Amino acid sequence: MELRWGDRTWVMGIVNVTADSFSGDGIALPGRGEAEIVAAALMQAGGFVAAGADLLDVGAESSRPAQFYGEHPPVSADEEAALAIPVVTALAAAFKNRARISIDTTKGTVARLALNAGATIVNDVWAGRRDHDTFAAAAESGAHLVLMHNKEVAEYPDGVFDEVVAFLRSAIEDAVETGVPRERLIVDPGIGFGKTPAHSIEILHRLAELKAALGGLPTLIGTSRKRVIGELLGGAPLDERLEGTAASVAVAIASGADIVRVHDVEVMMRTVRVADGIVRWRA
């Protein structure tokens, strides 16, 4: 399945092989062995694909922002691989030709193992700042590479928009120099990562401008269940952010998003179909 941009929005379903995801949907629960974790991932991903998801994003280390959700224990490459690779292997085999597998990691060793196991996308939420080897892994395999903006502390003395653009331009240049073809790059402004709700709202409001500033590269947006949604809904808890997420997905598509990364795939697929039907309408 080739990723082609402009005709429609691609939907990425989130498969959290963790126990401590901010969204409460981690499947690596205490006491579960590898077989149980793989079975749970297959069941979840099967529902996503049946609903129409194109991409399955497998992550085995929580990337929730420590500034807002508290510190979480670091996961070694070996621990991360032990959780992620059996799931990537199983999903790649089960959904061959139906969905692409993405590995959500900041570690080059984990990326390489996942790519060897059937993943075709590296989703690095630190855009190589934690481990530049993720770029080399993508370059050597011919994988797509997602470059996300991130920051430890949500402080932007010169403005969030300009800093995000500068960060991503630098990451794009670095990735190309490492050998990743520009046509294999995807950018993500990192909604909620190192950003207050106000920062995230500004980025979403100026998404079309941001995409143009980055040369029109395909853009991934992940707003699903995030703090900014709860804030806009007056402090709504995680389980009351579905409609707000759908609204943010529709706005993102109207502003040029090419991929939306979501937890609630079935509902968001309906949202995407309606948004695409309006935004991409041709007489």
Side-chain angles (χ1 to χ4, degrees):
M1 179 177 60
E2 185 60 31
L3 295 176
R4 296 186 301 175
W5 313 113
D7 295 337
R8 66 183 180 90
T9 305
W10 297 78
V11 174
M12 174 182 277
I14 301 168
V15 181
N16 279 322
V17 192
T18 62
D20 57 350
S21 171
F22 91 93
S23 56
D25 62 342
I27 60 176
L29 301 178
R32 274 188 175 173
E34 180 181 310
E36 292 174 291
I37 291 170
V38 169
L42 282 167
M43 180 175 293
Q44 183 184 61
F48 289 171
V49 174
D54 308 288
L55 314 168
L56 301 170
D57 193 37
V58 178
E61 180 177 19
S62 175
S63 55
R64 68 185 190 268
Q67 183 180 5
F68 303 118
Y69 294 98
E71 294 291 340
H72 50 92
V75 176
S76 72
D78 287 345
E79 292 171 314
E80 186 178 340
L83 287 169
I85 304 310
V87 170
V88 169
T89 302
L91 298 189
F95 304 112
K96 186 177 181 180
N97 302 323
R98 297 178 65 194
R100 278 178 172 255
I101 311 303
S102 167
I103 180 66
D104 179 352
T105 187
T106 61
K107 301 180 182 71
T109 55
V110 176
R112 290 173 191 279
L113 290 169
L115 292 167
N116 288 335
T120 61
I121 301 169
V122 177
N123 182 10
D124 186 343
V125 300
W126 278 96
R129 297 291 177 96
R130 292 287 174 86
D131 183 1
H132 192 264
D133 194 39
T134 56
F135 287 17
E140 292 161 11
S141 68
H144 282 80
L145 175 63
V146 180
L147 305 169
M148 195 188 85
H149 173 269
N150 210 333
K151 194 173 183 179
E152 293 286 359
V153 180
E155 295 177 357
Y156 298 89
D158 298 320
V160 64
F161 182 86
D162 288 344
E163 187 168 324
V164 170
V165 168
F167 176 104
L168 290 174
R169 280 177 174 165
S170 176
I172 291 164
E173 181 179 348
D174 190 5
V176 171
E177 288 179 353
T178 304
V180 183
R182 186 178 176 87
E183 59 268 21
R184 292 281 176 178
L185 295 177
I186 298 164
V187 293
D188 179 351
I191 300 302
F193 285 87
K195 299 172 188 69
T196 65
H199 292 142
S200 292
I201 290 168
E202 179 177 349
I203 292 297
L204 286 168
H205 182 77
R206 301 177 68 181
L207 183 58
E209 184 183 350
L210 181 139
K211 186 171 180 177
L214 297 173
L217 282 177
T219 303
L220 184 155
I221 293 294
T223 57
S224 187
R225 301 181 182 177
K226 286 188 176 174
R227 183 167 171 258
V228 61
I229 305 299
E231 185 87 2
L232 286 168
L233 291 173
L238 280 166
D239 60 356
E240 294 179 14
R241 297 178 186 177
L242 184 64
E243 299 89 348
T245 295
S248 68
V249 164
V251 168
I253 291 170
S255 298
D258 298 279
I259 303 171
V260 291
R261 183 178 181 272
V262 299
H263 298 88
D264 304 287
V265 171
E266 186 175 0
V267 172
M268 297 311 148
M269 279 301 311
R270 294 198 291 270
T271 303
V272 167
R273 286 172 182 144
V274 172
D276 271 354
I278 297 169
V279 170
R280 305 178 194 279
W281 178 78
R282 296 290 184 272

